[in-house]
Amino acid sequence: AKDSGKGCGATFDQAMRDRVTERLDLEFDLRRAVEEGEFEVFYQPIMSLSDNRVAKAEALVRWNHPTRGILPPTLFIPVAEETGAIEEVGAQVLDEAVRQAAHWRRNDRTLSELKISVNLSPRQLTSEGIVDQVARTLHKHQLPPEALALEITESASMDNVGLVQEIMDGFAELGVSVHLDDFGTGYSSLSILHSLPFSTIKLDRSFINNLVEEVESATTIWAVVMIAQAGRLEVVAEGIETHDQLAKIRELGCDYGQGYYISRPLPPHEFEAFCRTKLDE
Ligand code: C2E
Ligand code: CA
Ligand code: CA
Ligand code: CA
C-alpha cells in the first residue's frame, strides 16, 4: 500500500511538472507570437433586426500558431491577461480591426457604414494611456470614432468604478461608444447601467440558450429590453443558434442579433462575401 501511495505521489508530481512546463511554454510562445505578429482577427456579423442588414461586426482574435494551427482566444487570453501580454496582443487586435474597418468603409460599397466592436479585457481597459492609444489608432487609420465600439464586461468595471468612469468619460469625449458585454452573468448588472455611460447591452448567450423552451428566459429578456429602452440603450442578443431563437428575440424587441445561426466569426474575405450575399437576398 505504501508503495502504491508513493507511486501516486510521483505521478502527481509529474502531472504538476507537466502543467507548469505547459504553462511556461505558453507564456514563451505568446511572447514570440506578439513579436512575430501571429494573431489574426476574425469578424462575426451582427445583424440589425429592423432591416436584416449586417450593421456591425465583432472583432475576435485567433492565434495562427506555427505548429498547432488556429487557436481560439479561450486558450490564451486568460494567460495573456495574467502575464500582461494582453496589452500587446490587445494593441495589435485594435490596430488591425480599426485598419480593416477603415478600409472596408472606404472601399466596399456594402460596408460603408459598418461599425466595429473590439473587446477590452479588464487589464487592458485600465492600462496606462488606453484612451490615448484608442485616439491614436483611430487617427492613424482615419476611422471616424462613431464607427468604433469597445466591449467591456461587468467584472472589468466593478474593480475600480472611479477609474473606469474616468476612462469611459475619455472614450465618450473621443466619440467612441462602450458596450456592456455578457450582460446578466454578473452580480450588479443593473446598478452598473446607472453609474456608467454604456450605449449598448450585450445580452449573454445563456439567456438565449433556453429561450424557446422556458417562459422565464423570455420574461427576463423582455424586462431587459424595457430597462434598456428607458435608458436609451440598444440591446444585442448574443448566441443565436436557431431560427426560433432569432424570431423570438425579434418579437421581444431586441435591436440586434449575433450568433452561429446568422454566421460564425469569419476571416476578412469571407466576411466581405457574407455581407454581399446578404444584401442581394
Ligand atoms: P465574447 O466577447 O463573449 O465573444 C463571443 C464569443 O461567443 C466568441 O467566442 C464567439 O465565437 C462565440 N459565439 C458567437 N456566437 C455564438 C453562438 O451562437 N453559440 C456559441 N456557443 N458561441 C457563439 P470566441 O471568439 O472563442 O471568444 C471567446 C472570448 O474570448 C470572447 O467572448 C472574449 O471574452 C475573448 N476574446 C476574443 N477576442 C478577444 C480580443 O481581441 N481581446 C480580448 N481581450 N478578449 C477577446
Ligand atoms: Ca464581446
Ligand atoms: Ca459576450
Ligand atoms: Ca465573455
Side-chain angles (χ1 to χ4, degrees):
K2 208 177 174 192
D3 270 346
S4 69
K6 228 171 164 184
C8 243
T11 320
F12 180 71
D13 286 351
Q14 189 55 50
M16 281 278 278
R17 261 198 302 277
D18 287 351
R19 220 166 320 148
V20 170
T21 310
E22 204 178 307
R23 164 67 196 248
L24 286 173
D25 283 350
L26 183 56
E27 282 188 41
F28 182 79
D29 246 15
L30 260 174
R31 229 169 296 150
R32 189 212 55 240
V34 164
E35 272 159 31
E36 302 289 319
E38 290 172 7
F39 301 103
E40 287 178 15
V41 183
F42 278 34
Y43 299 88
Q44 187 173 33
I46 301 176
M47 195 171 86
S48 161
L49 298 178
S50 58
D51 61 9
N52 289 345
R53 302 260 312 256
V54 178
K56 312 174 191 243
E58 179 172 2
L60 294 159
V61 68
R62 303 288 181 259
W63 180 359
N64 193 356
H65 192 281
T67 56
R68 299 170 70 189
I70 303 265
L71 302 179
T74 43
L75 261 167
F76 62 90
I77 290 283
V79 174
E81 179 76 0
E82 269 180 57
T83 62
I86 190 69
E87 294 189 19
E88 278 298 319
V89 177
Q92 289 186 5
V93 171
L94 179 71
D95 187 75
E96 178 54 23
V98 167
R99 186 201 64 75
Q100 183 63 267
H103 174 82
W104 276 332
R105 285 173 69 104
R106 268 196 297 274
N107 301 304
D108 199 312
R109 198 175 45 82
T110 62
L111 297 175
S112 61
E113 288 171 42
L114 185 76
K115 298 192 174 185
I116 204 96
S117 299
V118 174
N119 291 285
L120 289 191
S121 74
R123 188 156 174 172
Q124 266 179 288
L125 176 68
T126 53
S127 68
E128 185 73 31
I130 184 69
V131 176
D132 280 349
Q133 186 195 330
V134 170
R136 271 185 279 112
T137 308
L138 289 171
H139 184 259
K140 175 181 172 192
H141 299 292
Q142 291 294 298
L143 183 73
E146 63 273 16
L148 177 67
L150 302 167
E151 298 194 1
I152 69 172
T153 57
E154 182 190 319
S155 59
S157 359
M158 282 325 287
D159 294 341
N160 189 344
V161 177
L163 177 60
V164 170
Q165 182 136 32
E166 210 174 283
I167 292 164
M168 282 183 68
D169 288 347
F171 290 144
E173 234 166 87
L174 289 180
V176 170
S177 58
V178 183
H179 297 182
L180 182 53
D181 205 355
D182 302 345
F183 183 82
T185 56
Y187 293 104
S188 52
S189 300
L190 286 181
S191 64
I192 210 160
L193 281 181
H194 287 295
S195 47
L196 295 170
F198 293 102
S199 72
T200 302
I201 293 172
K202 296 197 76 174
L203 253 183
D204 190 71
R205 69 164 180 269
S206 54
F207 290 105
I208 316 301
N209 273 342
N210 34 30
L211 174 58
V212 179
E213 300 81 32
E214 282 181 27
V215 185
E216 302 86 64
S217 291
T219 311
T220 308
I221 295 177
W222 179 83
V224 171
V225 170
M226 290 300 123
I227 289 162
Q229 284 175 357
R232 300 188 191 287
L233 297 164
E234 296 197 304
V235 179
V236 179
E238 291 192 295
I240 297 164
E241 294 182 351
T242 69
H243 175 268
D244 286 356
Q245 289 168 351
L246 180 60
K248 199 81 192 176
I249 61 140
R250 195 192 292 277
E251 187 187 308
L252 288 166
C254 294
D255 304 288
Y256 299 92
Q258 177 180 1
Y260 294 166
Y261 179 71
I262 298 161
S263 169
R264 295 203 166 242
L266 302 168
H269 280 99
E270 288 178 38
F271 178 82
E272 287 168 21
F274 177 84
C275 294
R276 236 170 267 132
T277 57
K278 271 288 151 189
L279 190 73
D280 292 343
E281 262 173 18

